[in-house]
Amino acid sequence: MTAPGVAPAPAEAVAPEGTTEQPLPALDLLAQLTNTPPPPETPARTVARRVRIWVPLLLLLVAVLAVVQALRPLPDAILTSEGAASSVALDGRFDVPWPEKGQAAVRIGGAGDVGTFGEQKPVPTASVAKVMTAYVILKNHPLKKDEDGPQIEVDAKAVADGTSASESRVQGLTAGTRFSQQNMLKMLMIPSGNNIARLLARWDTGSDSEAAFVEKMNAEAKALGMTSTTYTDPSGLDAKTVSTAVDQLKLAEEVMKFDAFRAIVQLPNSTVPGLSEPLINNNDDLLIAGLSIKGIKTGSSSAAGGTLVWAAYKTVGDKTPLVLGTMLDQHVTGADPDGANSLKLVKQNSKKVIEAVRAALTSAGVVKKGQVVGYVDDGLGTRTPVVATRDTAAVAVPGQRLELTLAVGEKGLPAKAPVGTEIGVLTIGTGPGAPTVPVALQTDLSAPSLGTKLLRLR
């Protein structure tokens, strides 16, 4: 019922159910009006899409790799002779007058080996073994040229050994008397005292036997590369003490570096206070032969025959190289009491070699100024030539081949340097007295470029 004076409210129209569309929100309507359906997929569009995705990633990876290549450490540059001569030979030819049998070897100090003869098989050394005994003593107890050194007491065993008529020995010793180390070395090397060799071995090790000293002898032989040498006693009387000519040459070169040793072995005789008779060298006829022979040691026994390690000098120009040689296993035919005649044979045969080598020694130019002798290799494919800075000669025999060895200077290899910068040394030959020549850059040495750094594989 309607109140009086009030118009009745119009009735709401009721739309039929499910027939009226609802208006879309504004954003959805806009999207519907502007959205274009995606074109159908094709292979070209697939490739294009993948390019858009992967190219940026690849570019990023390349950039990272470039940074890594540019910043990672460079390989160490080296000075190498690869691609240049590793040796040089003197013109001409020289034939060594080798013995008919046995074995021998010759070396020129600063030049290297002249040659070897015979099969280098271990053979008894006889008293040549005393060279190693002296070497060990001087390494453990160094002496200056004119220094007496410590006093060494003669023990009863050395006195008793001195009465043995079957071996070389120093006689007339009295237990308790003392001799300087230098005089003991004279008794060892000049008359070849076996009893002195054993006494020095006991003194060095503070032992009642020589076994510990023999171990030192073998250790030194190993250190010197004497691979075919075995010492079983300090005197060489034992036939099981064996070596080769080549091995003994290695020892000779080292032991002749001792001033005190050189002064002793060049003596044909010597008088030692406290001994009733002078010491006479078994090598005295060679030492006074006018061939500038300055030692080193003879040896002889029935097993070894005659053995000899020798040293001689020859002045050529302004150089006086040391010429070293060894000769082992020299046996005469016929009677040979204790190897006495074989000792004469080895000295005769060695004298022929010494005479021939000294006569053939000559000085010859082996390296010329400006000659390429090596390269600085930066490890990245660039090699800068290195040249000798002056003409250089060497003393050797005709036909002898000398090794060429490059070494970096004290300051090391620079990363870059101008042409002419000295960066190392070339050694011509081997051993003490080998001539050397500074080497310098033939062209500018430049640091690796950025492109080289980026493209390197190592």
Side-chain angles (χ1 to χ4, degrees), residues 334-404:
D336 191 24
D338 295 326
N341 291 328
S342 292
L343 176 59
K344 295 178 183 178
L345 177 65
V346 75
K347 290 193 289 184
Q348 292 169 359
N349 289 340
S350 296
K351 184 179 179 181
K352 294 176 184 177
V353 174
I354 297 168
E355 288 175 333
V357 172
R358 292 183 77 253
L361 277 177
T362 184
S363 179
V366 288
V367 172
K368 293 185 176 298
K369 181 179 180 179
Q371 177 181 335
V372 175
V373 295
Y375 299 87
V376 176
D377 190 330
D378 67 1
L380 300 175
T382 301
R383 287 158 57 89
T384 305
V386 172
V387 298
T389 58
R390 62 171 181 261
D391 293 344
T392 308
V395 176
V397 297
Q400 185 174 358
R401 183 162 292 279
L402 284 66
E403 295 181 13
L404 301 179

Side-chain angles (χ1 to χ4, degrees), residues 69-112:
Q69 285 284 80
L71 296 181
R72 73 186 177 103
L74 296 171
D76 292 331
I78 61 171
L79 181 61
T80 177
S81 59
E82 184 179 352
S86 60
S87 64
V88 61
L90 271 66
D91 292 336
R93 174 173 175 171
F94 171 67
D95 294 318
V96 182
W98 297 117
E100 295 181 359
K101 53 188 177 182
Q103 56 182 279
V106 177
R107 176 176 296 170
I108 298 172

Side-chain angles (χ1 to χ4, degrees), residues 61-74 453-454 456:
L61 178 60
V62 168
V64 171
L65 289 176
V67 171
V68 171
Q69 285 284 80
L71 296 181
R72 73 186 177 103
L74 296 171
K453 292 180 181 179
L454 295 179
R456 61 181 167 141

Side-chain angles (χ1 to χ4, degrees), residues 401-425:
R401 183 162 292 279
L402 284 66
E403 295 181 13
L404 301 179
T405 307
L406 272 176
V408 178
E410 294 181 357
K411 296 181 179 180
L413 287 178
K416 58 181 180 178
V419 58
T421 301
E422 293 186 3
I423 60 170
V425 174

Side-chain angles (χ1 to χ4, degrees), residues 5-194:
V6 179
E12 291 186 9
V14 179
E17 188 175 347
T19 61
T20 303
E21 292 187 4
Q22 299 295 322
L24 294 173
L27 291 177
D28 289 346
L29 178 60
L30 180 63
Q32 186 181 58
L33 293 174
T34 59
N35 187 34
T36 301
E41 189 69 24
T42 65
R45 291 193 180 97
T46 301
V47 170
R49 186 175 67 255
R50 291 176 178 175
V51 166
R52 288 195 299 271
I53 295 172
W54 288 106
V55 165
L57 294 176
L58 290 175
L59 291 176
L60 178 61
L61 178 60
V62 168
V64 171
L65 289 176
V67 171
V68 171
Q69 285 284 80
L71 296 181
R72 73 186 177 103
L74 296 171
D76 292 331
I78 61 171
L79 181 61
T80 177
S81 59
E82 184 179 352
S86 60
S87 64
V88 61
L90 271 66
D91 292 336
R93 174 173 175 171
F94 171 67
D95 294 318
V96 182
W98 297 117
E100 295 181 359
K101 53 188 177 182
Q103 56 182 279
V106 177
R107 176 176 296 170
I108 298 172
D113 293 332
V114 172
T116 63
F117 168 78
E119 181 184 357
Q120 298 296 309
K121 62 181 181 179
V123 294
T125 68
S127 289
V128 162
K130 294 184 177 74
V131 178
M132 178 59 84
T133 299
Y135 179 72
V136 174
I137 291 294
L138 286 170
K139 279 202 70 176
N140 294 342
H141 313 276
L143 282 183
K144 296 179 181 178
K145 181 178 179 180
D146 299 319
E147 185 180 8
D148 288 333
Q151 296 291 308
I152 301 172
E153 183 174 331
V154 175
D155 59 18
K157 191 171 183 179
V159 175
D161 287 349
T163 64
S164 174
S166 62
E167 58 179 312
S168 57
R169 75 277 187 199
V170 174
Q171 303 179 64
L173 298 176
T174 303
T177 57
R178 293 175 177 268
F179 295 90
S180 69
Q181 179 184 340
Q182 184 181 103
N183 282 334
M184 281 287 185
L185 288 171
K186 288 180 180 179
M187 288 186 268
L188 172 74
M189 298 303 296
I190 296 177
S192 197
N194 287 352

Side-chain angles (χ1 to χ4, degrees), residues 198-336:
R198 301 182 193 113
L199 173 60
L200 285 171
R202 295 191 296 272
W203 169 73
D204 174 78
T205 59
S207 171
D208 291 334
S209 74
E210 297 87 48
F213 187 83
V214 171
E215 289 183 6
K216 289 187 176 184
M217 296 173 73
N218 285 307
E220 292 295 343
K222 183 178 180 181
L224 293 175
M226 300 168 66
T227 57
S228 298
T229 297
T230 302
Y231 291 102
T232 59
D233 73 315
S235 70
L237 181 65
D238 188 350
K240 293 189 292 296
T241 287
V242 295
S243 188
T244 65
V246 169
D247 274 6
Q248 288 300 310
L249 207 53
K250 297 175 183 177
L251 173 60
E253 189 168 65
E254 288 299 314
V255 75
M256 286 295 284
K257 294 177 181 178
F258 290 113
D259 292 341
F261 182 85
R262 293 197 308 274
I264 289 171
V265 297
Q266 68 181 342
L267 297 172
N269 56 69
S270 181
T271 300
V272 173
L275 295 181
S276 59
E277 297 181 356
L279 306 175
I280 305 299
N281 200 323
N282 284 332
N283 200 19
D284 59 342
D285 50 346
L286 287 180
L287 295 175
I288 61 176
L291 296 175
S292 194
I293 297 172
K294 304 298 181 181
I296 298 176
K297 188 73 189 74
T298 58
S300 61
S301 68
S302 297
T307 62
L308 176 63
V309 180
W310 51 265
Y313 292 89
K314 171 69 181 292
T315 299
V316 180
D318 61 348
K319 308 288 186 183
T320 304
L322 172 64
V323 184
L324 296 168
T326 56
M327 195 173 291
L328 306 178
D329 202 23
Q330 301 296 293
H331 294 269
V332 298
T333 301
D336 191 24

